[in-house]
Amino acid sequence: MNIAVILSYDGTAYHGWQVQQNGPSIQESMETSVERLLGQKVHVSGVGRTDSGVHARRYVANFKADCTIPMDRLPYALNSFLPPDIAVSGATQVPDGFDARFDCTQKEYAYYIFPSTLRNPFHERYAYRYNYPLDIGCMQQGAQRFVGRQDFAAVRSQGTPVKSTVRTVFWCAVEPVDDLIRIRVCGDGFLYNMVRAIAGTLVYVGGSKLTPDDVSAILRAGDREQAGPTLPACGLFMNRLWYGHTPELVPFGLDR
């Protein structure tokens, strides 16, 4: 059977989702846990390759295995083999053709910034601390320039070659959340380090190093050097996912 699992994780100790030779990964932990539980070697396919140090509030993966454990009990069974910084919250049987990556229609990432000259130990692993004041209003204006279908070559790092750097961003929002600033970006797909570079560019806008109009010009130019920096991985979370064409995932809130 094909099983989809919903999980979350603190990515601090991991070299991203994908199995790596040089360090631990979320995928490796999941595959090891399934093998220990079911006695079967499986390939666990994930919705995306989150980078080293990136977190996930909501993540979907799937694997094919013979499993007699009821789906409502499977999360408890898997969690007994998983480390404390990875947790499965749901499981369901899905059609044989389902793939967590290719059946996802939209993804939302959230990036957290802590604007403060003083450290806060409770934000160290989950937000980027910025030492200078930021104008959220200007950041909000700049964020709107990323919305739409356009070429995002200016806000990506060199990595795995892609056929096109054109993507659709459905929304890009900047909002205060307690003592943090949250940037939410939702799109149909993302280039390598794209959200972290968008966040870095908006920090430059909020700090008056760039204007909202500059953002539009930078995107048109497609020049990575003109945009803001790629911010650290610690502030980035995979936040929400959409699987509107997979009714089995509707009960888990993955249809909207």
Side-chain angles (χ1 to χ4, degrees), residues 138-175:
C138 284
M139 294 175 72
Q140 290 170 335
Q141 293 179 45
Q144 298 314 302
R145 309 305 175 94
F146 290 107
V147 176
R149 185 163 184 80
Q150 53 190 319
D151 192 330
F152 289 96
V155 283
R156 69 129 177 186
S157 299
Q158 293 298 321
T160 304
V162 294
K163 293 181 180 179
S164 172
T165 51
V166 174
R167 297 291 186 273
T168 299
V169 167
F170 301 111
W171 62 76
C172 184
V174 182
E175 55 213 357

Side-chain angles (χ1 to χ4, degrees), residues 33-107:
S33 299
V34 173
E35 182 178 0
R36 291 177 65 190
L37 175 64
L38 302 180
Q40 304 167 48
K41 283 187 175 294
V42 300
H43 171 72
V44 180
S45 177
V47 64
R49 298 179 180 181
T50 55
D51 298 327
S52 179
V54 174
H55 317 293
R57 282 204 170 85
R58 182 64 62 93
Y59 193 94
V60 173
N62 72 288
F63 60 91
K64 294 184 177 180
D66 295 325
C67 179
T68 58
I69 301 171
M71 291 296 105
D72 63 336
R73 301 305 303 171
L74 187 58
Y76 297 95
L78 281 174
N79 285 339
S80 67
F81 292 102
L82 285 167
D85 47 9
I86 306 173
V88 173
S89 59
T92 186
Q93 185 175 354
V94 289
D96 287 343
F98 173 85
D99 183 275
R101 177 185 175 190
F102 295 109
D103 283 76
C104 182
T105 57
Q106 292 179 213
K107 303 174 188 175

Side-chain angles (χ1 to χ4, degrees), residues 213-231:
D213 286 340
D214 289 335
V215 174
S216 299
I218 289 167
L219 289 173
R220 286 194 299 270
D223 185 352
R224 179 69 189 91
E225 293 186 3
Q226 294 183 31
T230 300
L231 296 187

